[in-house]
Amino acid sequence: MSRRRGLMSESFKEELAKELGFYDTVKKEGWGGIRSRDAGNMVKRAIELAEQRLGK
């Protein structure tokens, strides 16, 4: 089974994690260590930013 390529760059995900306050968890445990809620909030924030950029 091949690994699916992510749509968000690693640096963008790290930026979002810092903004949302769970970057320490990512540093210590990797992306698998974050809560589902945090992952959902990260996706939600990424969508908000994309919509803002499209609106301008």
Side-chain angles (χ1 to χ4, degrees):
M1 189 175 224
S2 67
R3 186 156 222 202
R4 196 173 153 190
R5 187 174 174 195
L7 298 176
M8 290 191 276
S9 71
E10 197 68 21
S11 61
F12 183 59
K13 291 192 299 188
E14 289 174 359
E15 181 183 325
L16 291 173
K18 288 174 186 175
E19 180 181 326
L20 297 171
F22 57 88
Y23 183 68
D24 288 340
T25 302
V26 173
K27 281 189 350 186
K28 291 177 188 172
E29 302 176 32
W31 290 107
I34 66 172
R35 299 177 305 173
S36 296
R37 177 176 287 183
D38 291 334
N41 287 337
M42 189 170 73
V43 172
K44 181 179 176 182
R45 182 67 180 136
I47 291 169
E48 288 171 352
L49 291 172
E51 287 175 341
Q52 287 174 3
R53 289 181 185 156
L54 287 173
K56 290 183 177 179

